[in-house]
Amino acid sequence: MNIVILGGAGMLGRKLGQLLATRAELRGKAITRLTLADVVKPDPIDVAAMAVDTVACDIADPQAVARVITPDCDVIFHLAAIPSAQAEAAFEAGMQANYFGSYNVLERCRTLGTQPVVVFSSTLAVFGGDVPDPITDASFLNPQTSYGSQKAMVELLVNDYSRRGFIDGRAFRLPTISIRPGAPNGAASSFMSSILREPLNGQEAICPVGRDFPHFYLSPRKCVENLVLGAEVPAEKLGQNRAMTMPGLTLTIGQMIDAMTAVAGPDPAKLIRWESQPEIEAIVNGWRFDIHTDKALSLGLSADASFEDNVRYYLEDDLSQR
């Protein structure tokens, strides 16, 4: 089993690589090669189970994609993207990475003729505007950002390339991943981790929305577990629509902070400063939170049991490793 993770230098890509290297098998077969690829060569992963290759690959370059996705490639996890706020601020860069880069990946798979499994990480930003609640897997795509539009176009390609037998694709719309380790990224939702991560590290954080702002969340640990499960779902169970929303929990900012307090005590919450940021609010206020994920749940994917678990996972998986 030869596996490639595009976006392998990112937080989810590295965690996915660590999980797969530890498992040492996927879809009932031993993993013989695991490659992490990103626009900047990922750092090595320290795992005992196997050697993990790391390579530089800009997916906007078809020749670079061809060097990474080789004819013996069985599964591609496509996590590479320019995040939401950055894609909104830099339209051309977002299109090159999020749309044309994804097209290059799918075209490489098509020309190989081997029908590899492609797991694409999409976004809830494909929904918006006047789409009625609740949001289900049958809701029509109506993105209100460039990032959401780019991801929606790739979802349609994943469906069509799968229908035609070029790939065995599946696209998962990720909830907001929290608590993310590391530095803030260019996502509009980045504050939904930083208002917890920084206080847990003894640092001040700014929250640009109120305590009652709701959103849909999933921990990094559960997300990568779901990506693996999603890769293993037999094609015949996916139906005619290969895109679905990954399960998560709908919570307010206040509920997240209360969960952090329940696990870590009252001091971290005192480091949160409430300060409106209109440019962020303009993006996140268009997002939805009444989300039903029946299809993914029926396929065995799951949400975290509670946001207290999200806090515990961060303390166990990331803060303890600093």
Side-chain angles (χ1 to χ4, degrees):
M1 177 69 67
N2 179 359
I3 299 171
V4 171
I5 301 175
L6 301 173
M11 181 274 296
L12 288 178
R14 290 186 61 80
K15 286 183 177 291
L16 177 60
Q18 290 169 333
L19 177 59
L20 289 170
T22 300
R23 282 173 49 114
E25 63 87 23
L26 185 70
R27 296 173 64 87
K29 297 180 181 179
I31 298 173
T32 54
R33 182 179 175 192
L34 177 58
T35 302
L36 273 60
D38 214 317
V39 65
V40 176
K41 183 178 178 179
D43 292 332
I45 289 181
D46 184 17
V47 288
M50 67 178 67
V52 179
D53 297 330
T54 59
V55 298
C57 174
D58 182 355
I59 61 172
D61 178 359
Q63 293 182 342
V65 171
R67 288 192 292 269
V68 172
I69 300 178
T70 53
D72 62 343
C73 188
D74 300 294
V75 179
I76 300 108
F77 289 92
H78 178 17
L79 314 181
I82 285 181
S84 53
Q86 186 179 352
E88 194 68 13
F91 175 76
E92 291 183 359
M95 285 292 291
Q96 285 298 318
N98 297 341
Y99 176 68
F100 289 112
S102 298
Y103 172 76
N104 290 338
V105 171
L106 296 176
E107 270 296 279
R108 173 58 175 169
C109 294
R110 180 182 72 84
T111 58
L112 288 177
T114 56
Q115 199 179 18
V117 172
V118 177
V119 181
F120 173 61
S121 63
S122 188
T123 174
L124 288 168
V126 300
F127 301 118
D130 53 5
V131 179
D133 285 332
I135 296 293
T136 73
D137 293 311
S139 296
F140 65 89
L141 307 182
N142 191 25
Q144 300 301 301
T145 63
S146 295
Y147 177 74
S149 297
Q150 292 149 11
K151 290 287 191 173
M153 290 188 287
V154 179
E155 282 191 16
L156 295 176
L157 289 180
V158 168
N159 268 332
D160 196 44
Y161 277 56
S162 297
R163 179 186 65 83
R164 297 183 66 97
F166 302 149
I167 64 170
D168 178 0
R170 53 283 313 270
F172 296 101
R173 303 176 187 117
L174 304 188
T176 290
I177 305 303
S178 183
I179 304 167
R180 300 177 66 97
N185 62 14
S189 60
S190 183
F191 73 90
M192 298 178 191
S193 284
S194 64
I195 60 170
L196 306 166
R197 178 185 61 236
E198 270 71 288
L200 287 168
N201 285 275
Q203 302 168 3
E204 185 181 78
I206 295 173
C207 185
V209 299
R211 283 184 59 90
D212 293 335
F213 179 83
H215 203 52
F216 193 59
Y217 299 97
L218 188 68
S219 69
R221 183 191 292 189
K222 181 62 73 170
C223 180
V224 297
E225 290 174 356
N226 281 340
L227 287 171
V228 170
L229 289 170
E232 295 187 319
V233 174
E236 60 270 18
K237 291 189 176 182
L238 292 169
Q240 293 179 312
N241 183 4
R242 296 299 187 99
M244 68 197 79
T245 301
M246 193 176 283
L249 298 175
T250 299
L251 300 162
T252 65
I253 294 293
Q255 288 173 317
M256 295 167 62
I257 294 171
D258 290 345
M260 177 176 68
T261 298
V263 174
D267 288 341
K270 297 175 184 177
L271 294 169
I272 299 171
R273 180 156 54 93
W274 303 86
E275 184 177 298
S276 176
Q277 295 181 357
E279 69 279 6
I280 295 296
E281 291 178 318
I283 295 176
V284 301
N285 283 336
W287 293 347
R288 312 296 278 277
F289 59 89
D290 186 5
I291 298 166
H292 296 198
T293 61
D294 296 345
K295 183 171 184 176
L297 289 169
S298 73
L299 295 174
L301 283 69
S302 61
D304 298 291
S306 69
F307 200 80
E308 284 87 349
D309 281 347
N310 296 46
V311 177
R312 294 186 189 100
Y313 295 158
Y314 173 74
L315 297 176
E316 295 169 5
D317 297 346
D318 300 300
L319 187 60
S320 63
Q321 304 300 316
R322 289 170 60 88

XYZ file of all heavy atoms in Angstrom, residues 225-273:
353
model
N -8.689 10.447 12.660
C -9.288 9.118 12.759
C -10.414 8.970 11.738
O -10.539 7.926 11.082
C -9.821 8.885 14.177
C -8.732 8.735 15.233
C -9.293 8.656 16.645
O -10.534 8.790 16.804
O -8.502 8.464 17.586
N -11.226 10.016 11.587
C -12.313 9.976 10.613
C -11.793 9.936 9.177
O -12.396 9.283 8.314
C -13.224 11.187 10.793
C -14.196 11.043 11.955
O -14.474 9.940 12.420
N -14.713 12.158 12.435
N -10.711 10.646 8.890
C -10.142 10.598 7.541
C -9.702 9.186 7.183
O -9.896 8.725 6.046
C -8.970 11.566 7.436
C -9.311 13.054 7.403
C -8.057 13.899 7.523
C -10.070 13.414 6.130
N -9.106 8.488 8.141
C -8.702 7.100 7.898
C -9.920 6.223 7.674
O -9.967 5.422 6.723
C -7.844 6.581 9.069
C -7.612 5.080 8.949
C -6.512 7.316 9.123
N -10.920 6.370 8.536
C -12.147 5.598 8.352
C -12.791 5.903 7.006
O -13.288 5.012 6.311
C -13.137 5.897 9.481
C -12.787 5.339 10.861
C -13.723 5.912 11.915
C -12.863 3.820 10.861
N -12.771 7.179 6.623
C -13.360 7.577 5.350
C -12.648 6.967 4.162
O -13.274 6.643 3.144
N -11.328 6.804 4.277
C -10.572 6.171 3.199
C -10.916 4.698 3.060
O -10.755 4.109 1.981
C -9.076 6.326 3.446
N -11.378 4.087 4.148
C -11.631 2.644 4.146
C -13.073 2.284 3.780
O -13.382 1.104 3.606
C -11.276 2.064 5.514
C -9.789 2.179 5.827
C -9.374 1.473 7.094
O -10.130 1.561 8.084
O -8.309 0.831 7.094
N -13.953 3.273 3.641
C -15.342 2.984 3.276
C -15.385 2.385 1.869
O -14.818 2.957 0.926
C -16.192 4.263 3.317
C -17.599 3.988 2.790
C -16.270 4.812 4.740
N -16.034 1.244 1.679
C -16.132 0.670 0.332
C -16.883 1.616 -0.610
O -17.842 2.288 -0.219
C -16.926 -0.623 0.560
C -16.727 -0.957 2.006
C -16.637 0.366 2.708
N -16.455 1.672 -1.846
C -17.028 2.593 -2.819
C -18.535 2.410 -2.964
O -19.276 3.384 -3.119
C -16.339 2.409 -4.170
N -18.997 1.163 -2.886
C -20.427 0.906 -3.105
C -21.311 1.495 -2.017
O -22.519 1.649 -2.207
C -20.685 -0.596 -3.232
C -20.281 -1.431 -2.022
C -18.855 -1.936 -2.095
O -18.054 -1.388 -2.877
O -18.561 -2.909 -1.364
N -20.746 1.846 -0.868
C -21.533 2.440 0.215
C -21.625 3.966 0.115
O -22.369 4.585 0.871
C -20.929 2.059 1.568
C -21.077 0.586 1.913
C -20.650 0.306 3.350
C -20.889 -1.147 3.719
N -20.517 -1.423 5.133
N -20.882 4.554 -0.804
C -20.826 6.008 -0.878
C -21.958 6.611 -1.693
O -22.290 7.787 -1.524
C -19.479 6.441 -1.466
C -18.269 6.167 -0.566
C -16.979 6.383 -1.341
C -18.307 7.028 0.676
N -22.550 5.837 -2.590
C -23.657 6.351 -3.381
C -23.200 7.292 -4.487
O -22.009 7.374 -4.823
N -24.154 8.059 -5.020
C -23.869 8.921 -6.166
C -23.260 10.259 -5.760
O -22.709 10.959 -6.607
C -25.150 9.155 -6.966
C -25.665 7.897 -7.646
C -26.952 8.146 -8.405
O -27.886 8.754 -7.880
N -27.007 7.678 -9.630
N -23.353 10.619 -4.500
C -22.741 11.851 -4.017
C -21.591 11.479 -3.099
O -21.803 10.975 -1.995
C -23.758 12.725 -3.281
C -23.178 14.052 -2.837
O -22.023 14.366 -3.132
N -23.971 14.834 -2.125
N -20.366 11.733 -3.546
C -19.189 11.344 -2.782
C -18.810 12.372 -1.714
O -17.840 12.179 -0.987
C -18.007 11.140 -3.736
C -18.179 9.993 -4.747
C -18.337 8.661 -4.033
N -18.348 7.531 -4.940
C -17.303 6.751 -5.196
N -16.145 6.999 -4.623
N -17.411 5.733 -6.014
N -19.532 13.490 -1.625
C -19.211 14.542 -0.658
C -20.178 14.493 0.519
O -21.377 14.285 0.337
C -19.260 15.917 -1.319
N -19.633 14.701 1.721
C -20.460 14.687 2.929
C -19.769 15.500 4.008
O -18.577 15.806 3.918
C -20.690 13.251 3.414
C -19.434 12.580 3.948
S -19.557 10.779 4.054
C -19.284 10.342 2.325
N -20.528 15.847 5.032
C -19.977 16.606 6.151
C -19.541 15.657 7.251
O -20.275 14.740 7.633
C -21.007 17.603 6.698
O -21.395 18.487 5.638
C -20.436 18.422 7.840
N -18.345 15.880 7.754
C -17.819 15.077 8.852
C -18.543 15.458 10.143
O -18.815 16.639 10.385
C -16.314 15.317 8.982
C -15.592 14.328 9.874
S -13.785 14.602 9.897
C -13.312 13.896 8.316
N -18.866 14.508 11.005
C -19.584 14.833 12.245
C -18.799 15.767 13.154
O -17.564 15.779 13.169
C -19.780 13.464 12.906
C -19.701 12.482 11.787
C -18.705 13.052 10.828
N -19.531 16.573 13.916
C -18.925 17.485 14.875
C -19.944 17.874 15.935
O -21.050 17.338 15.970
N -19.578 18.808 16.789
C -20.437 19.321 17.851
C -20.708 20.797 17.601
O -19.788 21.560 17.302
C -19.774 19.167 19.224
C -19.459 17.750 19.704
C -18.698 17.828 21.036
C -20.735 16.933 19.865
N -21.969 21.216 17.734
C -22.309 22.624 17.649
C -22.280 23.229 19.049
O -23.022 22.791 19.933
C -23.694 22.843 17.019
O -23.691 22.320 15.684
C -24.055 24.311 16.977
N -21.413 24.224 19.236
C -21.202 24.836 20.545
C -21.014 26.335 20.387
O -20.572 26.819 19.343
C -19.940 24.257 21.200
C -19.908 22.754 21.462
C -18.478 22.300 21.684
C -20.773 22.410 22.656
N -21.340 27.079 21.431
C -21.038 28.499 21.445
C -19.622 28.716 21.973
O -19.032 27.828 22.605
C -22.019 29.271 22.330
O -21.838 28.854 23.693
C -23.462 29.031 21.896
N -19.098 29.900 21.717
C -17.783 30.262 22.253
C -17.793 30.122 23.781
O -16.835 29.616 24.388
C -17.409 31.692 21.847
C -17.226 31.790 20.329
C -16.152 32.166 22.581
C -16.049 31.042 19.781
N -18.887 30.552 24.398
C -18.986 30.446 25.851
C -18.925 29.014 26.340
O -18.278 28.721 27.355
N -19.578 28.099 25.638
C -19.542 26.688 26.025
C -18.139 26.112 25.885
O -17.704 25.302 26.711
C -20.538 25.896 25.173
C -21.991 26.164 25.512
C -22.950 25.501 24.538
O -22.739 25.534 23.322
N -23.993 24.891 25.069
N -17.403 26.532 24.848
C -16.020 26.070 24.678
C -15.153 26.543 25.839
O -14.361 25.774 26.390
C -15.463 26.595 23.358
C -16.155 26.055 22.131
S -15.719 26.994 20.650
C -13.960 26.712 20.569
N -15.314 27.808 26.207
C -14.507 28.355 27.300
C -14.879 27.683 28.619
O -14.005 27.370 29.445
C -14.683 29.880 27.374
C -14.084 30.520 26.108
C -14.018 30.454 28.627
C -14.385 31.995 25.964
N -16.166 27.412 28.805
C -16.586 26.705 30.021
C -15.974 25.306 30.076
O -15.596 24.822 31.151
C -18.109 26.622 30.073
C -18.772 27.973 30.328
O -18.060 28.915 30.746
O -19.991 28.090 30.085
N -15.888 24.635 28.916
C -15.269 23.301 28.876
C -13.790 23.389 29.224
O -13.261 22.525 29.950
C -15.459 22.685 27.492
N -13.116 24.414 28.723
C -11.706 24.598 29.074
C -11.556 24.811 30.575
O -10.652 24.235 31.208
C -11.126 25.796 28.322
C -9.684 26.117 28.679
S -8.967 27.457 27.698
C -9.930 28.868 28.311
N -12.442 25.594 31.152
C -12.386 25.850 32.593
C -12.624 24.577 33.384
O -11.968 24.324 34.406
C -13.416 26.926 32.976
O -13.080 28.150 32.297
C -13.429 27.175 34.474
N -13.554 23.732 32.909
C -13.859 22.484 33.609
C -12.651 21.560 33.642
O -12.448 20.809 34.607
C -15.039 21.788 32.937
N -11.820 21.604 32.595
C -10.658 20.720 32.515
C -9.411 21.352 33.130
O -8.658 20.683 33.851
C -10.379 20.334 31.042
C -9.088 19.531 30.925
C -11.546 19.545 30.462
N -9.190 22.637 32.863
C -7.912 23.272 33.212
C -8.015 24.304 34.322
O -6.998 24.922 34.668
C -7.315 23.921 31.967
N -9.211 24.511 34.877
C -9.353 25.487 35.945
C -9.675 26.877 35.421
O -9.721 27.111 34.209
N -9.866 27.860 36.308
C -10.357 29.180 35.917
C -9.313 30.121 35.334
O -9.672 31.111 34.683
C -10.909 29.736 37.235
C -10.076 29.074 38.291
C -9.782 27.700 37.779
N -8.038 29.880 35.549
C -7.024 30.868 35.167
C -6.913 31.095 33.657
O -6.770 32.250 33.217
C -5.673 30.472 35.746
C -5.615 30.664 37.262
O -6.464 31.422 37.794
O -4.748 30.044 37.903
N -6.931 30.060 32.794
C -6.792 30.328 31.357
C -7.851 31.287 30.815
O -7.531 32.167 30.008
C -6.920 28.933 30.729
C -6.406 28.012 31.780
C -6.904 28.601 33.072
N -9.094 31.156 31.244
C -10.159 32.013 30.711
C -9.918 33.485 31.023
O -10.405 34.373 30.302
C -11.510 31.570 31.265
N -9.178 33.782 32.082
C -8.891 35.169 32.445
C -7.958 35.843 31.448
O -7.836 37.073 31.448
C -8.276 35.215 33.846
C -9.198 34.699 34.947
C -8.473 34.658 36.292
C -9.363 34.054 37.376
N -8.651 33.941 38.675
N -7.308 35.064 30.589
C -6.373 35.605 29.611
C -7.038 35.934 28.280
O -6.368 36.357 27.339
C -5.232 34.609 29.377
C -4.313 34.369 30.586
C -3.386 33.186 30.330
C -3.508 35.628 30.890
N -8.359 35.758 28.164
C -9.089 36.049 26.933
C -9.545 37.501 26.950
O -10.198 37.954 27.900
C -10.298 35.112 26.763
C -9.824 33.658 26.695
C -11.081 35.483 25.506
C -10.954 32.644 26.734
N -9.205 38.236 25.884
C -9.627 39.630 25.744
C -10.650 39.697 24.614
O -10.412 39.194 23.517
C -8.415 40.508 25.448
C -8.735 41.986 25.269
C -7.505 42.848 25.555
N -6.340 42.461 24.789
C -6.004 42.993 23.595
N -6.769 43.926 23.062
N -4.911 42.592 22.981
